[in-house]
Amino acid sequence: MFTLTPLEIEALHLSLLVSGWAVAASLPLGILCAWVLARLTFPGKTLLDGIIHLPLVLPPVVVGYILLVMLGRRGPVGSLLFDWFGVTLAFTWKGAAIASAVISFPLMVRAIRLSLEGVDRGLEQAARTLGCGPVRTFFTVTLPLVTPGLLTGLILGFARSLSEFGATITFVSNIPGETRTLPIALYALTQVPGGDEAAIRLCVISVMVAFAALLASEILARRVQARMKG
Amino acid sequence: MLELSVKRRQGDFLLDLDLTAGPGVTALFGASGSGKTSAINLVAGLALPDSGRIKIDGRVLYESASGIDVAPEKRRIGYVFQEHRLFPHLSVRSNLTFGWNRVPKAERSVAFDAVVEVLGIAPLLDRRPAGLSGGEKQRVAIGRALLASPRILLMDEPLASLDAGRKAELLPFIADLARRFTIPILYVSHAMDEVLRLADTLVLMANGRAVASGPTEEILSRADLRHLTGHGEAGAVIRATVSHHIDEFGVTALGFSGGTLLTGRVELPPGASVRVRIHARDVALATDAPGRLSVRNVLAGRVLSVTATADHQVDVMLDCGGAVIWSRITALAQSQLCLEPGMNAFALLKAVTVTGGDIAGRP
């Protein structure tokens, strides 16, 4: 029987916590960005599109370093956060969640945007003639119709967060119990002699978690599809 | 009562429309691209005029001069689109109550159960739109629009995407609506059979303008509008009443102001009111009462007008006891018979030329 060691449980728990918060916290902003990109035309749209997609093409270490400079205790944003709210992000699991969120953000926005662009605007017009204002129309018609895209975006973001390494280790380092997620724990084990067996066990756990996430998204997406087909 | 007076430029197309739509069904009839759909989108607020005014029951929905532009959701307009546009993520019941729930209880003018019953959609309530046939979807869409208690119901060729069978199935429902729920209907169509069946008032549209409007029979019988009301199918439209059926020969006798008209069998009970279209090409003329003849309808009348058309043809309008019958003959026949306004003549019409599609039951 496969029983987890305390160290593995700690890493798995941290990974799920960090990734869960990363996608949950960035989802509203992701929907907003996707909507802006899919529906509005304004000067500077290409620039915004580029900025949102930047983390996808930058080396994660660069993203992590920028976060450290900006959000570190002495960084321009980090110092304000500390002075005003007493919040420290660098070298904490919250910082890890932010690093994961930034890295996975473009994937999430892309999926939601594609889905939004596929929504029949005629249905939104119909909702308007039936007495729904633009905001209510968005929540009662548009959002339900992009559910498959939302699910895809969430799972993609979650999976990318689980595998986040470069930005995380640069921004929040490798602190047991605080920022040592699965990939970081795995990396640490490969750096010590005789860590092979433990490393392989972490590999298996990572594969299983990722696979479970994909499976869950597939099942959910099918259910949504089935509902729409009556 | 809808009063519309708007201008809107779309590329090099100019919509310049003045029209009113009162109780009953008002049909906007015209070729594709004549601006029919644009017109009702302006009423619904889904598109904006450049200038003008839109009023319903005295309430201003849009007025360029005073800057009034009521949002679509506040206009209380029911819109039935060409493609049903049902919400795929909701059940039929939830689709139906979508607009209904947004209307304050005191302002609901139609009852849920009544709409469900009239449209025959009770068995569909718990299904989803994807599982319905085209006709069923369109019926649900009509119900959804009605339940929003609109001041006017806009219908944009609601039957255009359906096959002939489904269309025949849905026409009676629509014909019933205006009467049952006393909601004015503005009905966009380019199918003459629908207009004949449904419209009390007809507005002819061409190139973004309302060319003519008035009672359907009158507009369809006007020779000067023939180029808009259809070439091959041009002809007079008269009101008649089913008198009796002659079952052994499969024909029906209709009574109208000019006498009796024998037609192909009509599936309506005696006493039913109908509108009959008599194609001008099917009507022959005689200056003397003919003798033994296979033609069953010989209607005595007086020539009202003689108008030459292109292709050496002539349109002759005949007054038969108050009903106007329209005949298309060659210029040769006209000159040899010396047909002139004021002359007495007989219109000859074979019973077999007036069939189901030309006869529509009317309230």
Side-chain angles (χ1 to χ4, degrees):
Chain A
M1 189 55 207
F2 198 84
T3 45
L4 299 177
T5 64
L7 183 132
E8 288 163 354
I9 291 175
E10 182 191 279
L12 179 60
H13 172 250
L14 257 179
S15 267
L16 296 177
L17 179 78
V18 165
S19 303
W21 272 104
V23 292
S26 57
L27 184 64
L29 186 64
I31 294 173
L32 181 70
C33 286
W35 187 83
V36 166
L37 291 177
R39 291 291 169 83
L40 303 184
T41 40
F42 53 92
K45 180 174 167 177
T46 316
L47 187 68
L48 178 69
D49 200 7
I51 292 171
I52 288 172
H53 280 90
L54 212 49
L56 202 61
V57 286
L58 276 178
V61 181
V62 173
V63 175
Y65 188 66
I66 294 172
L67 286 174
L68 185 62
V69 171
M70 300 293 292
L71 298 179
R73 183 72 71 80
R74 290 195 202 87
V77 181
S79 59
L80 288 180
L81 283 176
F82 184 73
D83 291 346
W84 292 354
F85 306 109
V87 176
T88 311
L89 293 175
F91 310 113
T92 66
W93 72 267
K94 296 185 200 86
I98 287 180
S100 291
V102 171
I103 294 290
S104 59
F105 195 65
L107 288 171
M108 187 190 277
V109 171
R110 275 182 90 82
I112 301 171
R113 178 187 179 175
L114 267 178
S115 196
L116 267 174
E117 283 170 348
V119 169
D120 178 1
R121 304 293 298 272
L123 294 175
E124 295 175 352
Q125 288 188 335
R128 296 293 298 276
T129 64
L130 291 166
C132 277
V135 175
R136 186 180 286 269
T137 298
F138 179 78
F139 284 106
T140 54
V141 175
T142 316
L143 212 50
L145 291 176
V146 298
T147 311
L150 285 182
L151 283 176
T152 312
L154 278 175
I155 295 300
L156 276 176
F158 187 74
R160 181 66 189 85
S161 294
L162 278 179
S163 62
E164 205 338 88
F165 176 78
T168 308
I169 202 161
T170 316
F171 183 34
V172 296
S173 186
N174 169 11
I175 302 165
E178 186 68 36
T179 66
R180 188 190 277 177
T181 57
L182 280 174
I184 292 175
L186 179 53
Y187 174 75
L189 283 171
T190 60
Q191 299 303 303
V192 294
D196 287 351
E197 195 205 336
I200 287 170
R201 286 173 60 91
L202 280 183
C203 273
V204 173
I205 295 171
S206 299
V207 168
M208 279 169 29
V209 172
F211 201 67
L214 282 177
L215 211 62
S217 85
E218 189 64 22
I219 290 168
L220 281 174
R222 276 200 198 155
R223 277 206 184 164
V224 172
Q225 288 297 331
R227 266 187 65 192
M228 303 239 191
K229 283 192 181 125
Chain B
M1 172 73 108
L2 167 75
E3 296 160 76
L4 180 86
S5 170
V6 291
K7 282 192 175 64
R8 176 184 156 90
R9 181 166 284 287
Q10 291 163 284
D12 47 9
F13 178 78
L14 179 70
L15 187 71
D16 182 356
L17 198 57
D18 279 276
L19 68 85
T20 57
V25 179
T26 304
L28 279 184
F29 180 84
S32 313
S34 57
K36 309 183 295 282
T37 301
S38 305
I40 61 171
N41 279 340
L42 294 180
V43 177
L46 298 178
L48 275 188
D50 296 330
S51 64
R53 191 154 82 136
I54 303 169
K55 264 168 83 173
I56 280 191
D57 299 335
R59 178 174 176 238
V60 176
L61 297 183
Y62 174 86
E63 190 170 61
S64 54
S66 56
I68 294 174
D69 174 26
V70 178
E73 62 270 20
K74 301 217 169 70
R75 293 194 176 198
R76 298 288 292 279
I77 299 283
Y79 199 144
V80 179
F81 300 89
Q82 188 169 340
E83 353 65 68
H84 58 87
R85 296 199 188 175
L86 294 178
F87 303 121
H89 59 294
L90 299 177
S91 67
V92 167
R93 186 190 302 275
S94 302
N95 265 286
L96 288 171
T97 54
F98 193 91
W100 159 269
N101 286 335
R102 311 290 320 133
V103 183
K105 276 201 174 61
E107 292 174 32
R108 287 177 186 165
S109 59
V110 288
F112 185 85
D113 293 336
V115 169
V116 167
E117 188 218 307
V118 168
L119 294 170
I121 47 183
L124 313 175
L125 287 177
D126 295 319
R127 291 168 58 188
R128 283 188 187 273
L132 308 181
S133 73
E136 288 169 337
K137 282 179 191 164
Q138 209 52 289
R139 270 188 280 160
V140 175
I142 293 169
R144 183 178 70 171
L146 269 178
L147 282 167
S149 303
R151 291 190 175 85
I152 187 170
L153 191 59
L154 309 174
M155 305 183 95
D156 184 13
E157 309 200 25
L159 306 179
S161 56
L162 305 178
D163 58 49
R166 297 287 173 206
K167 200 167 150 172
E169 164 197 308
L170 212 58
L171 264 169
F173 287 113
I174 299 177
D176 241 23
L177 290 182
R179 252 177 307 148
R180 282 289 297 267
F181 298 105
T182 59
I183 294 174
I185 297 179
L186 189 56
Y187 189 97
V188 163
S189 180
H190 68 249
M192 188 43 80
D193 57 331
E194 294 171 24
V195 171
L196 202 57
R197 178 69 191 261
L198 300 173
D200 301 300
T201 308
L202 179 58
V203 178
L204 286 183
M205 286 196 62
N207 305 318
R209 285 163 188 275
V211 178
S213 64
T216 304
E217 288 93 351
E218 194 180 290
I219 296 289
L220 288 182
S221 298
R222 270 172 60 179
D224 60 317
L225 299 171
R226 194 194 59 239
H227 62 291
L228 294 172
T229 49
H231 298 272
E233 34 176 357
V237 176
I238 61 171
R239 274 190 174 265
T241 311
V242 176
S243 161
H244 58 276
H245 301 292
I246 306 171
D247 289 327
E248 51 183 319
F249 293 112
V251 295
T252 297
L254 305 176
F256 76 111
S257 60
T260 301
L261 196 65
L262 284 177
T263 68
R265 166 123 194 144
V266 182
E267 297 305 331
L268 286 170
S273 185
V274 294
R275 189 182 264 169
V276 187
R277 186 172 176 89
I278 298 172
H279 297 260
R281 285 178 190 282
D282 293 336
V283 179
L285 294 177
T287 46
D288 301 312
R292 288 169 63 80
L293 206 61
S294 77
V295 176
R296 289 300 85 199
N297 297 301
V298 179
L299 308 167
R302 196 168 52 81
V303 176
L304 283 175
S305 68
V306 176
T307 319
T309 67
D311 319 331
H312 304 288
Q313 293 181 345
V314 173
D315 284 327
V316 181
M317 298 302 219
L318 216 59
D319 177 353
C320 299
V324 175
I325 304 282
W326 174 359
S327 169
R328 170 78 55 88
I329 56 175
T330 58
L332 177 69
Q334 186 252 336
S335 93
Q336 289 181 345
L337 289 175
C338 303
L339 284 167
E340 295 294 340
M343 276 177 66
N344 288 322
F346 296 88
L348 311 182
L349 178 68
K350 292 168 74 177
V352 295
T353 60
V354 186
T355 52
D358 300 315
I359 304 168
R362 292 292 302 164

